Amino acid sequence: MNEPNAIELLLVEDNPQDLELALRALTKAKLANHIQIARDGAEALEFLFCEGPHAARRITDGPKGILLDLKLPKIDGLEVLRRIKGDPRTKMIPVVVLTSSQEQSDVVESYALGVSSYIVKPVNFERFSEAVRELGLY
């Protein structure tokens, strides 16, 4: 990913208000320049694994990090996380879960699958910035 316009961050969020808040926070903090947005789990997996409308991409040009909601349409975030971490081509991409779910089972499963950080919405901006910096996007 040495291309100047390479995707630095994949933001997977279906809620328009949460998406707008995340984009504003990322822009304001200058944490990521090139952001790809996926509005459901299927779209995220198509992008990551170069399928459908993303078939021309190379999987080696994947994002440096992923912000992932868990409560997504089509394919839920835990399944997206399971597939990311279960594939040798994508398992090293850091993932931060950014979700409204406070369910202990979601937290435990996310960490068991290899998530880097788990942030519950509404987001504390300092915690959000710290988690994104952990992805190396600064």
Side-chain angles (χ1 to χ4, degrees):
M1 282 201 34
N2 296 329
E3 298 174 28
N5 293 325
I7 300 301
E8 291 181 346
L9 181 68
L10 173 61
L11 175 55
V12 188
E13 176 60 68
D14 64 314
N15 181 298
Q17 292 83 16
D18 290 343
L19 177 62
E20 183 63 33
L21 286 171
L23 288 171
R24 256 190 278 153
L26 289 164
T27 302
K28 182 177 180 181
K30 299 178 183 164
L31 294 174
N33 295 318
H34 304 285
I35 301 170
Q36 175 71 30
I37 297 166
R39 289 176 175 80
D40 61 57
E43 189 179 340
L45 291 172
E46 285 179 344
F47 175 77
L48 286 166
F49 294 105
C50 306
E51 298 168 350
H54 305 283
R57 274 188 60 254
R58 294 184 316 237
I59 199 161
T60 55
D61 291 334
K64 291 181 182 177
I66 301 168
L67 287 175
L68 176 66
D69 188 11
L70 291 187
K71 305 303 181 193
L72 296 168
K74 298 186 181 178
I75 300 174
D76 73 43
L78 285 173
E79 181 59 26
V80 172
L81 180 60
R82 190 174 290 108
R83 292 187 194 179
I84 292 167
K85 296 302 183 179
D87 190 300
R89 300 169 298 170
T90 55
K91 72 178 182 180
M92 297 308 291
I93 300 172
V95 179
V96 170
V97 166
L98 182 61
T99 186
S100 59
S101 175
Q102 296 182 25
E103 296 175 33
Q104 188 63 23
S105 60
D106 285 345
V107 175
V108 170
E109 187 168 0
S110 293
Y111 279 111
L113 290 169
V115 75
S116 299
S117 192
Y118 192 103
I119 301 172
V120 178
K121 300 176 206 172
V123 176
N124 170 296
F125 183 74
E126 289 77 27
R127 178 70 186 108
F128 177 74
S129 296
E130 176 185 316
V132 174
R133 280 192 175 88
E134 289 174 10
L135 296 177
L137 304 176
Y138 51 86

